[in-house]
């Protein structure tokens, strides 16, 4: 095991694009405090949030933007969008070492992704996609919750949805989720884990009954893709029991489709940025449905946050060598752990990023 649990030379979600503008914005990613802002042309930029002179955080007032430069509010060191210092107080010569670490950034699917590691390896083709989040064919609600637990616990949580039955009963969980066996497929080369659970006849939880209007039992599919280390996709298909299945050409007019997206971004060794989004292909202009899904999904996320924060405390207090028990429902999570461990040890990017 390396000295950190972070997989480096990877793309991580740093923010929603809407969070970054013409104000200095900071977020810690994989233990690194990063300053984000947009140039006057609208391009997102990222650099270390610490002046080279006396380490004052550039995100702290009275630091400010001046055109396309950042002026440190402590002594006036001024930096361009590439992190290179262009002006220092009291002298004309700028020391050649006066430059901040800059980070490759890319905006995709409403997210701002940042590359943590060797900049020469920052291949945009490695960014996994979630195209529903800014597609006109879907309506999306989203948010982010801070998690006081290591990011691996959230990966475990999301790859084993049987916990919905117990932790999220009354919202999105029903008995059938825990009772239905899963199938797991692992693409080690691509760093992708697939976990599927298809329920042919299940109770309709309030999350779907209220949003779709279905009053009876449902066919409910949960098809997960986890793209290590950061992106989790849950393709949910909901239809009344007895409704036709998908057409041979891929069309599925008798079902409702919800794409649940999580970006799992480590903040520190024991804290995580839990980005979540819910995109739907029905009731696109219905604000009541949007408000309901936003509030309900945030409630579900916060239930996970409470449980995982407590689990982090338990793990931190355990004696060395404490063992855990795993069963069939854990196959996806265990596969993800192996992939993450390999990425941490190798410090290299996953070679492909599938588009679905």
């Amino acid at each position: 095991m390396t000295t950190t649990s972070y997989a480096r030379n990877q793309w991580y979600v740093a923010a929603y694009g809407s969070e970054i503008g013409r104000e200095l914005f900071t977020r810690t990613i994989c233990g690194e405090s990063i300053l984000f802002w947009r140039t006057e042309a609208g391009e997102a930029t990222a650099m270390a949030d610490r002046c080279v002179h006396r380490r004052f955080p550039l995100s702290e007032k009275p630091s400010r933007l001046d055109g396309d430069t950042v002026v440190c509010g402590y002594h006036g060191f001024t930096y361009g969008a590439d992190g290179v210092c262009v002006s220092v107080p009291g002298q004309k010569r700028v020391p050649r070492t006066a430059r901040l670490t800059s980070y490759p950034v890319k905006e995709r699917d409403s997210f701002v992704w940042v590359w943590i590691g060797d900049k020469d390896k920052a291949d945009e083709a490695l960014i996994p996609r979630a195209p529903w989040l800014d597609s006109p064919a879907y309506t999306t609600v989203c948010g982010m919750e801070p998690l006081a637990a290591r990011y691996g616990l959230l990966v475990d949580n999301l790859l084993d949805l049987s916990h919905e039955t117990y932790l999220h009963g009354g919202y999105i969980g029903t008995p059938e989720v825990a009772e239905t066996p899963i199938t797991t497929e692992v693409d080690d080369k691509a760093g992708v884990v697939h976990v599927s659970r298809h329920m042919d006849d299940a109770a309709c939880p309030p999350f779907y009954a209220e949003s779709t209007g279905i009053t009876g039992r449902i066919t409910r599919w949960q098809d997960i893709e986890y793209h290590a280390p950061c992106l989790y996709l849950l393709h949910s298909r909901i239809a009344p029991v007895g409704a036709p299945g998908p057409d041979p050409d891929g069309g599925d007019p008798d079902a409702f489709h919800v794409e649940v997206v999580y970006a799992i971004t480590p903040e520190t060794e024991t804290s995580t940025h839990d980005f979540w989004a819910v995109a739907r292909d029905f009731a696109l202009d219905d604000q009541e449905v949007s408000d309901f899904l936003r509030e309900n999904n945030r409630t579900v996320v916060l239930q996970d946050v409470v449980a995982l924060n407590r689990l982090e405390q338990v793990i931190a207090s355990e004696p060395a060598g404490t063992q855990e028990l795993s069963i069939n429902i854990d196959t996806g999570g265990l596969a993800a752990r192996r992939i993450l461990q390999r990425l941490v040890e190798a410090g290299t990017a996953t070679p492909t990023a599938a588009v679905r």
Side-chain angles (χ1 to χ4, degrees):
M1 185 72 172
T2 60
T3 57
T4 177
S5 63
Y6 312 130
R8 299 187 65 81
N9 291 332
Q10 299 288 332
W11 291 100
Y12 290 94
V13 170
Y16 291 105
S18 59
E19 292 185 276
I20 298 176
R22 291 289 293 165
E23 295 287 336
L24 298 174
F25 173 87
T26 189
R27 184 158 280 156
T28 299
I29 309 293
C30 296
E32 301 183 21
S33 183
I34 303 176
L35 182 75
F36 297 91
W37 50 281
R38 290 190 186 275
T39 66
E40 291 182 323
E43 295 295 318
T45 186
M47 60 184 66
D49 185 19
R50 182 175 294 183
C51 182
V52 298
H53 178 230
R54 290 294 181 263
R55 300 184 296 280
F56 188 76
L58 296 170
S59 58
E60 294 285 338
K61 294 184 182 301
S63 299
R64 59 185 173 85
L65 279 177
D66 181 7
D68 279 347
T69 61
V70 178
V71 182
C72 178
Y74 192 16
H75 292 102
F77 275 61
T78 302
Y79 301 89
D82 58 359
V84 176
C85 186
V86 296
S87 176
V88 299
Q91 63 186 59
K92 292 183 178 180
R93 187 184 69 84
V94 177
R96 62 181 179 82
T97 56
R99 59 180 61 222
L100 299 170
T101 298
S102 61
Y103 298 82
V105 291
K106 183 66 178 179
E107 294 195 62
R108 290 270 173 84
D109 307 324
S110 83
F111 289 132
V112 175
W113 293 81
V114 63
W115 178 263
I116 301 296
D118 184 346
K119 288 192 286 187
D120 292 338
K121 296 180 180 178
D123 183 355
E124 295 175 6
L126 297 172
I127 299 175
R129 302 301 304 271
W132 318 277
L133 301 189
D134 56 9
S135 167
Y138 287 78
T139 294
T140 299
V141 296
C142 61
M144 194 276 279
E145 299 299 332
L147 180 64
R150 65 197 70 187
Y151 77 108
L153 294 181
L154 183 55
V155 175
D156 282 348
N157 171 278
L158 293 173
L159 281 165
D160 174 18
L161 293 180
S162 68
H163 79 275
E164 288 183 347
T165 299
Y166 307 99
L167 192 59
H168 306 313
Y171 291 92
I172 201 166
T174 67
E176 294 81 9
V177 181
E179 293 167 359
T180 304
I182 61 170
T183 61
T184 304
E185 297 180 7
V186 182
D187 186 337
D188 282 303
K189 183 178 180 182
V192 181
V193 179
H194 299 265
V195 178
S196 292
R197 176 185 278 109
H198 287 190
M199 294 160 272
D200 294 329
D201 187 343
C204 188
F207 188 85
Y208 291 125
E210 294 293 330
S211 60
T212 67
I214 296 176
T215 57
R217 294 179 70 81
I218 58 172
T219 297
R220 182 180 181 186
W221 294 1
Q222 296 176 324
D223 293 305
I224 295 168
E225 294 178 55
Y226 171 59
H227 296 254
C230 186
L231 196 69
Y232 170 97
L233 310 173
L234 170 61
H235 311 293
S236 293
R237 178 185 184 272
I238 307 98
V241 168
D247 299 332
D249 63 1
D252 196 13
D254 296 296
F256 300 86
H257 303 91
V258 176
E259 302 290 346
V260 181
V261 179
Y262 283 84
I264 307 165
T265 300
E267 179 186 37
T268 68
E269 295 283 353
T270 56
S271 61
T272 304
H273 304 299
D274 183 357
F275 296 90
W276 59 266
V278 178
R280 68 183 189 274
D281 69 353
F282 57 92
L284 299 184
D285 300 318
D286 192 322
Q287 188 60 45
E288 288 188 6
V289 171
S290 292
D291 292 343
F292 172 80
L293 289 176
R294 179 184 295 107
E295 183 61 28
N296 267 252
N297 202 73
R298 183 170 186 267
T299 297
V300 168
V301 170
L302 290 175
Q303 289 173 332
D304 283 335
V305 166
V306 170
L308 297 180
N309 287 354
R310 186 68 186 100
L311 184 54
E312 176 66 39
Q313 295 171 348
V314 170
I315 292 173
S317 66
E318 285 180 338
T322 300
Q323 298 295 307
E324 65 178 2
L325 174 68
S326 296
I327 57 175
N328 290 342
I329 59 175
D330 301 308
T331 54
L334 294 175
R337 289 185 187 183
R338 291 192 297 270
I339 291 171
L340 287 170
Q341 182 66 22
R342 188 187 75 237
L343 294 178
V344 168
E345 292 173 348
T348 57
T350 51
T352 61
V355 178
R356 293 272 171 150

